[in-house]
Amino acid sequence: MRRIISVLLENEPGALSRVVGLFSQRNYNIETLTVAPTEDESLSRLTVTTSGSDKVIEQITKQLNKLIEVVKLVDLTEGAHIERELMLVKLKATGSQRAEIKRTVDIFRGQIVDVTSSVYTVQLAGDSDKLDGFIQAVGTSGVLEVVRSGVSGIARGEKVLSL
Amino acid sequence: MELLSGADMLIRSLQDEGIEYIYGYPGGAALHIYDALFRQDKVKHILVRHEQAAVHMADGYARATGKPGTVLVTSGPGATNTITGIATAFMDSIPMVVLCGQVASTLIGEDAFQETDMMGVSRPVVKHNLSVRHPEEIPEIIRKAYYIAATGRPGPVVVDIPKDMTTPNERYEYLYPKKVKLRSYNPAIRGHAGQIKKAVDMMLAAKRPIIYAGGGVILGKASDLLTELVRMLGYPITNTLMGIGCYPASDKQHLGWLGMHGTYEANMAMHHSDLILCVGARFDDRVTNATEKFCPGARIIHIDIDPASISKTVDADVPIVGPVDAVLKEMLSLVRESKEKPDSDAIASWWKQIDEWRAFHGMRYETSPDVIKPQEVIEMLCRLTNGEAFVASDVGQHQMFAAQYYKFDKPNRWINSGGLGTMGFGLPAAMGVKLTHPDDEVLCITGEGSIQMNIQELSTCKQYNLPVKIINLNNQALGMVKQWQDMNYESRHAESYMESLPDFIKLAESYGHRGVRIEKKEDLETKLKEVLAMKDDLVFVDIYVDRFEHVYPMQVARGAMKDMWLSKTERV
Ligand SMILES: Cc1ncc(C[n+]2csc(CCOP(=O)(O)OP(=O)(O)O)c2C)c(N)n1
Ligand SMILES: [Mg+2]
């Protein structure tokens, strides 16, 4: 099953490489990984999406917790949560395609953030399925370049991941 | 407050940490540190002949004393030479701090002379590593390094020290922190009371219980508590290769050790048990054999300081995360107070069954009138040293024979590379023990393959007068490899013979030691006695043993715990 694990990590050089190293060392799978400092500049927040049996996921969280620089972590998929990913896509946009693309972008609540005579650059945020859905809708033949941020997530409601 | 250079702060920190010995080898990036070392005499430095040996020495010291070992090396090749030693310590959770010189911070990333990314190279085999970014941080980093290495589940910590952090004429205020606090590192200090209660209830209700103890008991200094609990319950106990000595081997409740080359009775009792109390062990593949066939009727209680060890390979029914001593103490008082008592009829018939298993195999081996059997060498050594020697072993058949036939009644005396299985570990580890236990008998049990992996340390032994006894069970082959080839590759001995062995006697003599060769069975006892009487000399004892011997019992690959070869021809 796909999981979203959110980690508070000491914002120190080398901490990230320990997390990434752990995944490759123990043969765990990383689908996406995002990391950035938080409002407390001594901490980074890292989100990793991974998949595996319950036993593997249990090991992943335990092994992550064992890293000295991991301060706290939560498996967001254990409760209600919000997940978001940002995507920037360059699409071939000439002639009648231009109106068609514009309509699809509106349906997906995206924005065209850059325009040339033959190219639209679209920005889209949502969960990973929605981003996949957009690519399917516009058709891969017109896609020139895709860049995705990887998943960020947060729990719904009052629950917070903080010190 | 005092003003000190980074290098002086480093050495002062070691003094304040109470470090007696460091094992190391100098080089460019570590020279400021070596100079600081030279100008004091509290911390003694032992100059090895290869950095790997420095780490094994620190490791041997740590295993025998329970205190973290310390290593000092230079950058680049000095640092990379430590990796096998660090990985060895990591696999067996041995506390140590490895101080590595590094090129100046201004040169890092430029492929400078003797630059290696030691933080990156060591990362997968350390508990943690730390890099010095400002000289002022040195005392705190050293304090942290020892704290992390020695607490929780212990392990090696590397400290990377760029040369400009130790510059002599730049001085800073020195203050050694009494305590460190890490918000992200809080090892458990006691087990969950409810879980412990549940475990004790299960233990008292069991009909075929067994205690399976591991190296965690020794690392956690809980041998006495474990022994008390096991005696109070009257249950059988087995331990892992790493747990040897955590319970007296000569006691009748002890079934010997378990796993691939464990005793018949220990493996049988595990397989047929209805309750396993695992204390500080990790269900490693050399113990469990095929996990899907592992102990089908047993419920499992697992005590470990490391939550990640629990339910990693075999699921625990009652996990207890905590230090073994604290948990065992609580268990003891619960057992003592409990109105429930062990089911004496069930336990008596369980023991009857176990005693039958014991009688069936009993660690027998065939003897011969003229060939020296490796097993009998070990049995004789055990007798001649009253089972009280420190035995550091290398890796191979001789290691298994030593573990099987030397009976350890005390913890910290059996010193071997269990997790990584590092040939070359034995001699330097024995040296690390001898240095701090000059009045104890320290044996290095080795093979002609393993000993050659760190034989250069004979020179270090001369320099520091370390009269260990090297017992070379010379079967003129990489015996363990050859055994596998006999069993699985129709005796095709690919590269498992050692041709052109050196004359070990002359070799030892050339280093200034003594050598004794034993070829005839009738000489064995007299010569071993003579060797043990040479208290002040390192003696290299080259014993020609049966070249065709195999280690048994041996679990059948991918079988259950109970599936074993008992000799070359008997399989159960
Ligand atoms: C550094 C290292 N290389 C290879 C091995 C694989 N290996 C395990 S036992 C063994 C043979 C050891 O030979 P020897 O020291 O003569 O011991 P014996 O088995 O003959 O008693 C080998 C090569 C190892 N454990 N460690
Ligand atoms: Mg050999």
Side-chain angles (χ1 to χ4, degrees), chain A residues 135-146:
Chain A
I135 298 287
Q136 256 176 5
V138 293
T140 45
S141 62
V143 173
L144 300 171
E145 187 180 348
V146 177

Side-chain angles (χ1 to χ4, degrees), chain B residues 395-398 421-423 447-450 453 475 477-481:
Chain B
V395 171
Q397 290 183 318
H398 60 272
T422 308
M423 290 171 69
E448 75 305 312
S450 295
M453 287 214 180
N475 53 8
L478 302 177
M480 188 55 95
V481 171

Side-chain angles (χ1 to χ4, degrees), chain A residues 10 13 17-18 21 25 40 42-43 55 58-59 62-63 66 68-71 163, chain B residues 119 123-124 127-129 133 148 153 183-185 306-308 310-313 315:
Chain A
E10 296 287 1
S17 74
R18 265 184 244 281
Q25 226 169 293
D40 171 351
S42 70
L43 287 173
K55 204 177 165 95
E58 184 182 329
Q59 268 297 309
K62 284 173 166 180
Q63 293 291 349
K66 228 169 113 170
I68 307 284
E69 283 142 339
V70 167
V71 187
L163 289 191
Chain B
M119 295 293 284
R123 198 199 60 230
K127 181 170 175 186
H128 194 54
N129 54 20
R133 266 162 279 138
I148 293 171
R153 179 177 181 174
R183 61 179 172 183
S184 56
Y185 174 71
D306 177 8
I310 296 178
S311 299
K312 180 171 66 179
T313 60
D315 287 331

Side-chain angles (χ1 to χ4, degrees), chain B residues 55-65 94 96 415 425 428-430 432-433:
Chain B
V55 187
H56 293 328
M57 260 190 106
D59 184 323
Y61 165 86
R63 290 181 203 238
T65 61
I94 303 304
M96 73 167 60
I415 313 271
F425 173 81
V433 179

